[in-house]
Amino acid sequence: DAGVTQSPTHLIKTRGQQVTLRCSPKSGHDTVSWYQQALGQGPQFIFQYYEEEERQRGNFPDRFSGHQFPNYSSELNVNALLLGDSALYLCASSLASGTQETQYFGPGTRLLVL
Amino acid sequence: AQSVAQPEDQVNVAEGNPLTVKCTYSVSGNPYLFWYVQYPNRGLQFLLKYITGDNLVKGSYGFEAEFNKSQTSFHLKKPSALVSDSALYFCAVFTGRRALTFGSGTRLQVQP
């Protein structure tokens, strides 16, 4: 049973560029959440996707956008990259059978913005 | 606003000794609390959760946590620490029914 997978594992970009990160949820899960973890901090919630729609968003600017596909996989897009966007980006999947469902995390994508 | 606090940046314990990693919470309504562990250059691994019911929750790898409503705490415990338990531990609470809000993390160092 495959867990949550993310690609790529590492990425280097320059300021102003755009980046797309990808996530495949755990088998049987239909909900994907994205988190940003800056160095030395706890993860911060970006947004969550269910039924191909964003259904909750954290305190992140519109430069951060996402998408969920019919097979439940998801993308996180960040436009106009800033140095402060350098972080580990974590994807988590869960099953939307109710609320407070356990979220299972992937290994993350480490983004470095130069 | 829902939040959790981890008062210790680092906890040091000798192998074989019991360990405790502290977490306190501030929530309105019923708290839904989680513990995750993060190994270097890895994502977060789920350890255990408290939703309702028994105040002592058992999880993976021999870890357990005690929910204490009067002290608003949810401390992670293990009777006998292993060197391989050395990692970064995060307490988290559900916010807005769907998003996890994490504490700042506690680094556990188990010395042989």
Side-chain angles (χ1 to χ4, degrees):
Chain A
D1 178 22
V4 180
T5 60
Q6 293 186 243
S7 63
T9 55
H10 294 82
L11 207 50
I12 299 175
K13 293 285 187 180
T14 57
R15 279 179 298 174
Q17 285 189 311
Q18 178 263 344
V19 67
T20 296
L21 311 181
R22 295 175 176 82
C23 172
S24 291
K26 184 178 168 68
S27 177
H29 285 182
D30 56 9
T31 301
V32 173
S33 304
W34 286 93
Y35 293 80
Q36 180 196 66
Q37 185 179 18
L39 199 61
Q41 297 182 21
Q44 301 283 321
F45 175 74
I46 303 175
F47 43 53
Q48 183 181 87
Y49 276 83
Y50 171 67
E51 291 188 338
E52 302 181 47
E53 299 217 347
E54 181 184 298
R55 67 173 184 174
Q56 187 167 343
R57 189 179 183 93
N59 189 26
F60 278 80
D62 291 344
R63 298 188 297 109
F64 290 76
S65 63
H67 188 78
Q68 186 179 33
F69 299 93
N71 67 353
Y72 308 119
S73 67
S74 175
E75 288 182 349
L76 164 65
N77 300 291
V78 187
N79 295 321
L81 284 167
L82 303 174
L83 296 180
D85 295 331
S86 295
L88 180 68
Y89 288 85
L90 295 164
C91 167
S93 74
S94 54
L95 183 61
S97 61
T99 57
Q100 295 87 32
E101 289 299 323
T102 301
Q103 297 186 5
Y104 293 90
F105 285 80
T109 294
R110 189 164 295 281
L111 171 65
L112 178 61
V113 182
L114 300 176
Chain B
Q2 321 280 61
S3 66
V4 291
Q6 295 181 244
E8 300 159 317
D9 290 336
Q10 180 156 327
V11 170
N12 298 307
V13 64
E15 189 176 27
N17 283 1
L19 69 88
T20 299
V21 183
K22 296 179 179 178
C23 173
T24 58
Y25 64 88
S26 175
V27 306
S28 54
N30 294 322
Y32 299 98
L33 298 160
F34 297 75
W35 276 102
Y36 286 85
V37 60
Q38 186 174 37
Y39 294 96
N41 300 315
R42 301 277 295 277
L44 300 175
Q45 293 181 28
F46 169 71
L47 284 178
L48 51 81
K49 66 180 178 182
Y50 173 83
I51 301 297
T52 188
D54 195 348
N55 289 343
L56 186 63
V57 180
K58 293 192 182 297
S60 306
Y61 314 119
F63 284 94
E64 57 188 27
E66 186 173 6
F67 173 74
N68 188 317
K69 188 172 183 178
S70 62
Q71 297 185 7
T72 61
S73 67
F74 188 57
H75 300 334
L76 181 70
K77 301 183 179 185
K78 188 174 183 182
S80 179
L82 300 172
V83 172
S84 57
D85 293 330
S86 299
L88 190 55
Y89 290 80
F90 288 98
C91 179
V93 63
F94 255 118
T95 307
R97 299 170 66 222
R98 298 187 178 97
L100 286 168
T101 294
F102 287 85
S104 55
T106 298
R107 186 165 301 282
L108 174 67
Q109 195 70 39
V110 181
Q111 285 114 11

